[in-house]
Amino acid sequence: MEIKDKYGAVQKNYAQPIKRYCQTLDLIDDAELIAKYLAAHSEEVHWQEIREGIKQVGILEMEIYLLENKLFMIVETGVDFQWEDAFEILATLPRQQEWECWMSSFQQTENGTTDKKWRLMDRIFHLYPLTS
């Protein structure tokens, strides 16, 4: 697990324009379950097939942040990425359904695919260009 760093998380630089999607989901508010959820997402435990599937559908980067029991996910893709199509394919890839079922045991949500559980957020602000 990453340690909080007041200097922020280093980001990858892509040689292409990207789109960013932000989503949120609440975990069951239980310290023991949250610890197990964090462990499941550690590099040592997280399933290789899940990471491969994420990359296969065109996701360049995926990050999940935690505050108390609230998760915030950032998904970065190429500009031609089609959200619904990608997650329809992802749901059919090896071990994806098994992973989603396991993760649902930690989440305040019904069983389902990733795109049904996470709530896509609207961007309401960015640093607008300066005007003269």
Side-chain angles (χ1 to χ4, degrees):
M1 179 169 76
E2 279 189 49
I3 305 298
K4 285 186 181 179
D5 178 351
K6 66 180 179 179
Y7 302 108
V10 175
Q11 300 300 297
K12 292 180 182 176
N13 186 13
Y14 301 99
Q16 68 184 55
I18 63 165
K19 290 194 290 191
R20 176 177 290 156
Y21 299 89
C22 297
Q23 304 176 96
T24 188
L25 183 145
D26 292 335
L27 295 175
I28 296 169
D29 197 4
D30 177 286
E32 186 177 321
L33 285 177
I34 291 171
K36 289 178 181 179
Y37 186 86
L38 294 176
H41 285 80
S42 69
E43 187 173 354
E44 301 78 28
V45 177
H46 194 267
W47 300 353
Q48 180 70 27
E49 299 93 336
I50 301 306
R51 294 191 305 270
E52 289 170 0
I54 288 168
K55 294 286 188 179
Q56 183 178 330
V57 299
I59 294 173
L60 302 171
E61 181 62 271
M62 180 181 284
E63 298 177 318
I64 301 175
Y65 294 84
L66 173 71
L67 177 63
E68 298 164 357
N69 71 316
K70 182 168 291 300
L71 298 175
F72 175 69
M73 181 190 293
I74 300 170
V75 176
E76 292 179 339
T77 70
V79 294
D80 59 342
F81 184 83
Q82 297 298 314
W83 186 267
E84 293 83 8
D85 296 341
F87 280 91
E88 188 174 306
I89 294 167
L90 184 62
T92 68
L93 296 179
R95 299 195 77 190
Q96 187 67 35
Q97 292 300 321
E98 182 184 356
W99 176 262
E100 291 303 336
C101 184
W102 182 32
M103 291 302 102
S104 291
S105 68
F106 304 104
Q107 301 165 340
Q108 290 184 27
T109 184
E110 299 295 320
N111 268 338
T113 57
T114 297
D115 65 320
K116 302 285 189 277
K117 297 189 299 183
W118 288 84
R119 296 177 317 214
L120 201 55
M121 302 172 77
D122 294 322
R123 182 171 84 172
I124 63 164
F125 175 81
H126 70 103
L127 284 178
Y128 309 111
L130 297 175
T131 58
S132 311

